[in-house]
Amino acid sequence: MISVLTGPQGTEEQRGTLCELAGLYGLLPVIATRVDWLTVSVLYCVAGWQSCADALSDVALAECFGVPVKDLPLN
């Protein structure tokens, strides 16, 4: 099972930040790969994901597959 990360991804800078955060937390960014939602154990969301259509789609897909959706705690 894998854990994946989504968030704002409308600009190149946002996509870069998302990939960096995924690397720091040992997660797989949803934008970097095709996701087999049957293998995902949790979807983490970066702050601001609610304003991004792609991230909203990621969350909707996760929910369809029964994958827990959690906010990524940034400390």
Side-chain angles (χ1 to χ4, degrees):
M1 298 298 266
I2 61 170
S3 296
V4 295
L5 180 66
T6 194
Q9 46 194 284
T11 67
E12 188 67 34
E13 182 179 348
Q14 288 174 328
R15 289 186 293 276
T17 298
L18 192 62
C19 289
E20 287 177 20
L21 286 172
L24 287 172
Y25 284 86
L27 305 169
L28 188 65
V30 174
I31 60 171
T33 186
R34 295 184 148 242
V35 176
D36 178 358
W37 289 100
L38 295 175
T39 65
V40 175
S41 58
V42 63
L43 170 66
Y44 288 99
C45 300
V46 174
W49 67 268
Q50 301 94 331
S51 64
C52 176
D54 290 331
L56 288 167
S57 295
D58 296 338
V59 169
L61 281 168
E63 290 174 344
C64 285
F65 284 93
V67 173
V69 177
K70 299 180 180 183
D71 288 327
L72 183 68
L74 298 175
N75 295 346

